[in-house]
Amino acid sequence: MITAQTPSIKRKDLEYVLESLMSEQLEYGAFAKKFEEKLVERVGCRYGLSVNSYYSAIDIALEAINLQQGDEIIISSFAPAIYLDLLLRRKANPVIIDIEENSYFPSAEQVERAVTDKTKAFILVHNFGFAVDDTPYKERVPLLIEDITKVPGCFIGSKKVGSLADICIAGFQSSEIITTGEGAAVFSNNKKTYQILKSITGNSQDELTQNYKISCLIPDINAAMGVSQLSSLDHRLELRKAIGQIYEDSLIKGRASCLIQKENENRYYSDFPIQVKSPLKDIIDFFKRAGIEVIRPFAKPLHQIIHLPLENYTNTEHLYLSTLLVPINSNLMKKDVMHISKNLSVLF
């Protein structure tokens, strides 16, 4: 079975991990600091802090903006459920909005209509490697948080994705284009915001406030793999792009389709989503018989999880019922790429 999401791990990654183990520095240390330096350079933000999980990254980002009970956070329904979980745990009010037609993002106008005097921030998730210009959003919301997990270092025109955000988040789970096994990072161009993030992370008690910090800094062993992953990221992205373009050529022959990046925007082939006309179960079974795993991007969109009216989320519903992710890992063998491509061309 060709799996849908497999980590791209090379021998060089293992060598970095071994070096970390031999240094006997398992907790946050030299590799973690080096990882942060390389991440900041890649992403284009002034400050970065690496942590032990995607959950921790989102958690400290919400802490850094001083999210209070009853504060409203605007977020698209086509987003990872982990955001909804953390917002509800903090007793904030998620304001879930639909996406724009033929897009993976809400429009700036949709976001603006959702803003109230209780709005704290808008969370913009760059889904599947599609990068959207953040300028129109920044102008309409009090605070902008961007999830750049799928597009670290991607350009929109002359600026990098997330450069206007108050806080950026990137996850490094095993299925992502940068993986540390588990781990994530939080970025900001604002020194004060960075100092807040630093002040709430660590392993010791704050002697002045008597508050315990959140112990969530990334272990050096994970950061070591991240340092290696960053050194080969551009090469792996080029391989993914070549695979994606083969898939796109095949889709022209079949009945499935994919969204095309807009002319003034950019794309990483972090994922390869396709939209199909037949029921998803039939398509999943079709690929399974061919030895190919395809999966839904999200188990459920956010509006379904908290039982909001489906008629208010027609565009999200359409994508949820028609979108699957196809394997596009840079480690795929040529024969596997051609096998997947062949099956894409005959979708019914």
Side-chain angles (χ1 to χ4, degrees):
M1 180 70 71
I2 304 171
T3 55
Q5 294 179 323
T6 304
S8 299
I9 298 175
K10 297 291 187 181
R11 183 181 182 87
K12 184 179 179 182
D13 300 332
L14 304 180
E15 291 172 357
Y16 272 78
V17 172
L18 180 60
E19 184 180 342
S20 171
L21 289 171
M22 292 179 67
S23 72
E24 298 182 355
Q25 175 76 35
L26 298 184
E27 65 273 15
Y28 181 92
F31 270 110
K33 292 172 183 176
K34 186 175 182 180
F35 185 41
E36 288 170 353
E37 290 172 5
K38 288 185 172 293
L39 282 170
V40 164
E41 181 182 355
R42 175 88 199 182
V43 172
C45 288
R46 293 177 63 189
Y47 308 102
L49 183 68
S50 54
V51 294
N52 59 7
S53 72
Y54 190 40
Y55 189 96
S56 295
I58 300 169
D59 192 32
I60 65 170
L62 297 177
E63 182 74 17
I65 66 170
N66 193 30
L67 185 68
Q68 299 293 311
Q69 181 175 341
D71 285 345
E72 294 179 353
I73 298 290
I74 303 169
I75 187 169
S76 158
S77 186
F78 218 51
I82 190 171
Y83 280 99
L84 185 60
D85 179 61
L86 274 158
L87 291 173
L88 294 176
R89 284 176 182 269
R90 287 178 167 267
K91 298 184 179 179
N93 291 334
V95 178
I96 300 171
I97 60 176
D98 198 9
I99 54 177
E100 195 175 12
E101 188 176 5
N102 297 319
S103 173
Y104 293 125
F105 310 98
S107 68
E109 291 72 26
Q110 287 173 291
V111 173
E112 185 173 29
R113 288 194 295 271
V115 172
T116 72
D117 57 359
K118 293 183 179 180
T119 300
K120 191 78 170 189
F122 166 55
I123 298 174
L124 173 60
V125 181
H126 295 271
N127 283 318
F128 315 131
F130 285 80
V132 64
D133 187 4
D134 53 9
T135 307
Y137 302 103
K138 178 67 175 176
E139 297 167 348
R140 290 167 165 83
V141 294
L143 291 171
L144 177 62
I145 298 173
E146 294 189 46
D147 189 320
I148 59 170
T149 298
K150 304 289 185 180
V151 288
C154 187
F155 278 90
I156 291 285
S158 60
K159 65 184 180 70
K160 288 188 175 181
V161 173
S163 59
L164 292 181
D166 295 281
I167 295 179
C168 281
I169 296 166
F172 309 132
Q173 305 91 285
S174 61
S175 60
E176 304 304 346
I177 55 174
I178 300 172
T179 181
T180 58
E182 279 293 335
V186 187
F187 306 92
S188 180
N189 281 315
N190 186 292
K191 187 175 183 179
K192 183 178 179 181
T193 301
Y194 174 68
Q195 289 174 336
I196 294 172
L197 290 167
K198 288 283 287 184
S199 73
I200 58 179
T201 59
N203 301 303
S204 61
Q205 185 178 4
D206 189 322
E207 294 179 358
L208 295 178
T209 65
Q210 298 298 305
N211 290 326
Y212 283 93
K213 297 182 179 182
I214 302 170
S215 181
C216 64
L217 295 176
I218 195 169
D220 247 27
I221 188 172
N222 297 82
M225 181 179 287
V227 171
S228 179
Q229 287 267 305
L230 279 170
S231 68
S232 64
L233 180 57
D234 286 331
H235 175 64
R236 288 183 285 112
L237 286 171
E238 283 300 316
L239 291 174
R240 285 174 177 261
K241 182 177 180 180
I243 294 169
Q245 290 174 340
I246 292 172
Y247 291 171
E248 287 168 354
D249 290 341
S250 294
L251 287 172
I252 295 172
K253 305 171 186 176
R255 295 188 63 199
S257 62
C258 60
L259 291 188
I260 303 299
Q261 189 74 1
K262 295 178 182 177
E263 186 176 346
N264 64 332
E265 297 172 356
N266 205 346
R267 177 183 180 183
Y268 284 173
Y269 285 81
S270 308
D271 297 312
F272 194 84
I274 61 170
Q275 291 176 250
V276 298
K277 298 179 180 179
S278 301
L280 291 191
K281 184 181 183 304
D282 293 347
I283 301 299
I284 292 171
D285 288 344
F286 167 78
F287 276 107
K288 186 176 182 180
R289 289 193 296 272
I292 303 165
E293 180 189 32
V294 294
I295 60 172
R296 274 185 149 148
F298 306 113
K300 285 185 177 181
L302 303 189
H303 70 273
Q304 287 191 14
I305 296 174
I306 55 175
H307 309 293
L308 297 176
L310 302 186
E311 60 268 22
N312 293 341
Y313 301 90
T314 54
N315 296 326
T316 303
E317 278 290 308
H318 171 69
L319 280 187
Y320 172 67
L321 295 172
S322 64
T323 304
L324 292 168
L325 298 182
V326 176
I328 193 173
N329 191 282
S330 58
N331 286 350
L332 284 172
M333 302 290 288
K334 183 177 180 180
K335 64 180 180 64
D336 293 333
V337 172
M338 301 316 296
H339 179 57
I340 295 168
S341 175
K342 178 182 177 181
N343 282 275
L344 286 173
S345 69
V346 295
L347 281 177
F348 46 91

